[in-house]
Amino acid sequence: MYSNEDYLLELLTEAGLISQEEIDSIRGQLQGRESVVERLISDNRLSEEQVAQVCAQSSSMDYVDLAHLPIAPDVFDLVSDEVAKRFRAVPVADDGTYLTVAVADPLDFEVLDSLPHMLSREIHTVCATPSAINHIIQQNYGGAVAEETADDSFTVVGADGDEDAAADDAPIIKMVSSILLDSFKMKASDIHIEPMETCLRIRYRIDGKLVEIDNHPKKLHPAIIARIKVMSGSMSIAEKRLPQDGRIQIRVAGKEVDLRVSSVPSNHGESIVMRILDKTSLMLGLPELGFLSDDQETIEKMIRLPDGIVLVTGPTGSGKTTTLYGCLNTINTPDRKIITVEDPVEYELAGINQVMVNTDIGMTFAAALRAMMRQAPNVIMLGEIRDAETAGIAIQAALTGHLVFSTLHTNDAPGAVARLADIGVKRFLVASSVRAILAQRLVRKLCPSCKAPALLTDREMRTLNLDAKQAAESDIMGPQGCDNCRQSGYKGRAGIFEIFKVDDEVRHLINEELTSPQLRRRARELGMRTLREDGIRKVLAGMTSASEVMRVTMADSD
């Protein structure tokens, strides 16, 4: 939208319209081609007029309100529709000497330099809002600016890094490209292409929920599967009886996106799932993960400790890896050496050494971790603690002055202690090395465009253990549905958390070999909030709905 957004954000900050904290918070939420300024405007934290006035002042231009500026109809003949749309610039007055042209981005010096040459006139530039200029273009030149269709650019990157430039018009190629492009626009996390008895079903997972998008004739199934395998570059078209894995790299609107492809033979043919990994969209900080201020303060203290283990637990798909990346982003500074061991490396993190597990050549978690210890790291991240050998090396690393992050598959935070004991770790080692255990789930956030005040039902009040006074004093909202959220009422997801701090008293309890229920009860007595209790706080804050928290925390009824 703006050519020099970083400079513009500095101007807006200096003008007191936004803070650096707001900018940092929003950057972690962005997806696709949306910019920080666009998000600030869409969230009503800034108006287009404010941005345009700051731009105008910094460029020593006048700001004009095109909606209330009389413009002679014949002046539009002085600028072609190609120039108007390309440069987002419209003529507003001509005094015979100077042609006054309104521009949407006065920070784009290439536009300012090019206009006099393109129009062969002396130009006087003024600044107007992008939407006002688009409106003038639509009224007088017939159509919107070209930038609005830029999101439709789509290319496939080959295995050697060269773009697939074949301009093939085959319908199957267009259909597969359309499936991938639509999934990206809808911010889906994965694509499911499933052969049914009489049709081929296409589903996207959006905000954790599978949504049926389309059904195609069954006869298209072999061609679509073959096209996807060809795009992956490593999957065999001839092999249809065995599962296969592959990877596709695409560039959508200038952004690099990885697709992890998995095919499995089913009773009606091969089923394909493509997981979408947007490599530029995971620079999240702790606030964007869903931590409220008090929990964020607690976690920041834990992840800045010099040594020990910080565990993140939860089922598959609960956002554990995203939380670990968010923690690493928070502490990633030039004075720390951070190494990760992952299977596979899903997202590339700038300034961090990432190692991928490859069991075929003996590069297991344990082997990689042993090698990492000779690299003198300050911080180590393990994708998952899976066995006693890996756990033992991680604990030794923690006990010898390293900060270790990892994940476990357990239902709650205290249950991680029993899980480590089950795989062969002695309790006294758990007690002496683990600093904090974080359990989490993901809940859908209410759509900011259509959420509205809501009243809780009697059942919701009872289930969430709320009274009428609490509800009346809170900002409880409910889903409505609009075009922005595909009528679902929800857009995006955030975490709900259970933070189990391992202090001296908890270490004593672990050494006493308390069972998981006993340890959980004691942790709650010491102040630990459960997943449901954290979810209730987010309902009262208007972030999500009561029904969503109840759905995600059905097992957490205590």
Side-chain angles (χ1 to χ4, degrees):
M1 184 179 181
Y2 293 97
S3 59
N4 193 342
E5 185 174 69
D6 289 338
Y7 177 56
L8 176 55
L9 290 171
E10 287 183 21
L11 296 175
L12 294 170
T13 304
E14 290 173 2
L17 295 175
I18 54 172
S19 66
Q20 187 60 47
E21 289 74 18
E22 286 180 285
I23 294 171
D24 293 340
S25 173
I26 285 176
R27 278 206 168 107
Q29 305 172 26
L30 299 181
Q31 295 186 5
R33 297 177 70 247
E34 186 180 26
S35 70
V36 175
V37 175
E38 285 175 328
R39 175 61 70 87
L40 286 165
I41 292 171
S42 66
D43 286 353
N44 296 318
R45 303 190 201 188
L46 284 176
S47 67
E48 273 196 316
E49 290 77 11
Q50 288 175 310
V51 176
Q53 287 166 4
V54 167
C55 286
Q57 184 177 3
S58 72
S59 305
S60 300
M61 289 185 190
D62 292 327
Y63 166 75
V64 294
D65 182 357
L66 294 182
H68 298 94
L69 183 70
I71 304 174
D74 59 351
V75 81
F76 296 112
D77 296 333
L78 301 175
V79 176
S80 69
D81 95 340
E82 179 187 357
V83 170
K85 292 176 183 178
R86 177 181 170 188
F87 293 108
R88 288 195 300 171
V90 295
V92 295
D94 180 22
D95 65 4
T97 303
Y98 290 97
L99 176 63
T100 301
V101 178
V103 296
D105 185 3
L107 304 181
D108 192 337
F109 300 113
E110 182 180 351
V111 169
L112 302 182
D113 291 340
S114 299
L115 279 174
H117 301 290
M118 296 291 294
L119 301 175
S120 301
R121 289 286 306 270
E122 292 288 334
I123 301 296
H124 173 65
T125 50
V126 294
C127 179
T129 64
S131 60
I133 286 179
N134 288 349
H135 181 67
I136 294 291
I137 290 174
Q138 288 170 342
Q139 280 191 324
N140 298 279
Y141 292 102
V145 294
E147 184 185 67
E148 294 184 4
T149 62
D151 279 344
D152 291 336
S153 61
F154 174 90
T155 54
V156 179
V157 180
D160 58 356
D162 295 329
E163 291 186 3
D164 177 7
D168 198 326
D169 291 329
I172 292 299
I173 293 178
K174 287 186 175 182
M175 182 178 294
V176 172
S177 296
S178 176
I179 290 170
L180 298 180
L181 185 59
D182 287 346
S183 70
F184 185 79
K185 288 180 176 179
M186 295 181 190
K187 297 180 173 56
S189 60
D190 44 61
I191 306 165
H192 296 250
I193 300 177
E194 304 161 316
M196 301 287 105
E197 185 175 0
T198 59
C199 67
L200 181 65
R201 181 170 67 175
I202 310 294
R203 294 193 291 175
Y204 299 159
R205 190 178 298 277
I206 302 172
D207 294 336
K209 291 264 190 177
L210 276 173
V211 179
E212 187 166 330
I213 300 299
D214 205 355
N215 287 325
H216 295 293
K218 182 70 177 291
K219 64 182 181 181
L220 299 178
H221 171 247
I224 289 176
I225 298 300
R227 171 59 182 164
I228 292 171
K229 287 182 175 181
V230 167
M231 291 171 68
S232 76
S234 61
M235 301 172 73
S236 171
I237 299 175
E239 181 57 73
K240 301 177 182 179
R241 300 166 300 169
L242 296 174
Q244 296 187 68
D245 294 311
R247 175 184 177 187
I248 299 172
Q249 290 180 285
I250 63 175
R251 183 175 296 115
V252 182
K255 294 188 63 178
E256 297 284 348
V257 179
D258 272 3
L259 304 174
R260 296 290 163 81
V261 186
S262 170
S263 71
V264 174
S266 70
N267 56 333
H268 295 300
E270 284 184 282
S271 175
I272 288 240
V273 174
M274 291 181 280
R275 186 178 180 196
I276 302 171
L277 304 173
D278 180 0
K279 293 187 288 188
T280 65
S281 68
L282 205 78
M283 298 305 292
L284 300 180
L286 297 180
E288 292 75 43
L289 295 173
F291 287 102
L292 296 179
S293 57
D294 54 347
D295 284 345
Q296 180 182 336
E297 184 180 353
T298 299
I299 289 297
E300 284 185 344
K301 288 179 181 178
M302 297 299 173
I303 65 177
R304 295 185 190 280
L305 292 172
D307 55 34
I309 297 178
V310 176
L311 292 172
V312 181
T313 73
T316 301
S318 60
K320 300 187 297 295
T321 301
T322 303
T323 296
L324 287 181
Y325 283 161
C327 292
L328 293 183
N329 283 332
T330 301
I331 63 173
N332 183 16
T333 56
D335 62 332
R336 284 191 179 94
K337 184 177 179 68
I338 302 176
I339 304 182
T340 74
V341 182
E342 304 170 65
D343 183 19
V345 174
E346 294 184 350
Y347 297 94
E348 294 178 9
L349 300 176
I352 293 177
N353 301 277
Q354 295 174 270
V355 178
M356 186 165 70
V357 168
N358 187 344
T359 54
D360 293 340
I361 61 173
M363 179 64 89
T364 62
F365 272 103
L369 187 52
R370 279 194 296 269
M372 283 166 53
M373 295 301 294
R374 296 190 289 272
Q375 295 282 310
N378 302 106
V379 180
I380 296 168
M381 188 195 94
L382 294 174
E384 182 183 353
I385 292 179
R386 300 181 176 181
D387 51 47
E389 184 181 13
T390 305
I393 300 171
I395 287 172
Q396 289 304 313
L399 294 176
T400 54
H402 302 83
L403 181 61
V404 180
F405 294 93
S406 191
T407 70
L408 274 178
H409 288 282
T410 62
N411 290 328
D412 61 6
V417 174
R419 172 64 181 148
L420 289 171
D422 288 343
I423 64 175
V425 180
K426 296 187 181 300
R427 290 249 179 175
F428 77 89
L429 290 175
V430 176
S432 57
S433 62
V434 175
R435 298 289 180 262
I437 305 169
L438 177 74
Q440 71 175 70
R441 302 290 189 275
L442 294 176
V443 295
R444 293 180 295 166
K445 296 190 294 185
L446 291 167
C447 173
S449 300
C450 64
K451 67 179 181 180
L455 296 176
L456 299 181
T457 64
D458 291 341
R459 175 175 172 270
E460 289 171 337
M461 297 278 282
R462 289 194 304 271
T463 303
L464 299 181
N465 196 25
L466 292 173
D467 56 43
K469 182 179 179 183
Q470 281 178 294
E473 294 175 349
S474 302
D475 188 22
I476 296 174
M477 309 291 278
Q480 299 296 310
C482 66
D483 291 341
N484 192 41
C485 61
R486 295 178 51 83
Q487 306 302 324
S488 69
Y490 298 92
K491 194 171 181 66
R493 290 190 291 176
I496 56 174
F497 305 98
E498 184 174 275
I499 302 174
F500 182 37
K501 294 183 290 185
V502 181
D503 56 18
D504 289 340
E505 184 169 356
V506 171
R507 290 188 188 94
H508 176 70
L509 297 174
I510 293 173
N511 285 324
E512 285 187 345
E513 300 192 4
L514 269 64
T515 64
S516 289
Q518 292 173 324
L519 196 57
R520 180 175 177 80
R521 281 195 297 270
R522 187 66 184 127
R524 293 197 62 189
E525 291 171 2
L526 294 172
M528 183 188 79
R529 267 190 299 267
T530 66
L531 291 165
R532 173 162 287 184
E533 288 167 345
D534 190 46
I536 291 169
R537 294 203 302 162
K538 285 157 188 174
V539 171
L540 298 178
M543 293 173 59
T544 188
S545 67
S547 59
E548 183 70 4
V549 170
M550 290 164 57
R551 177 184 68 83
V552 172
T553 63
M554 282 190 293
D556 185 24
S557 58
D558 60 341

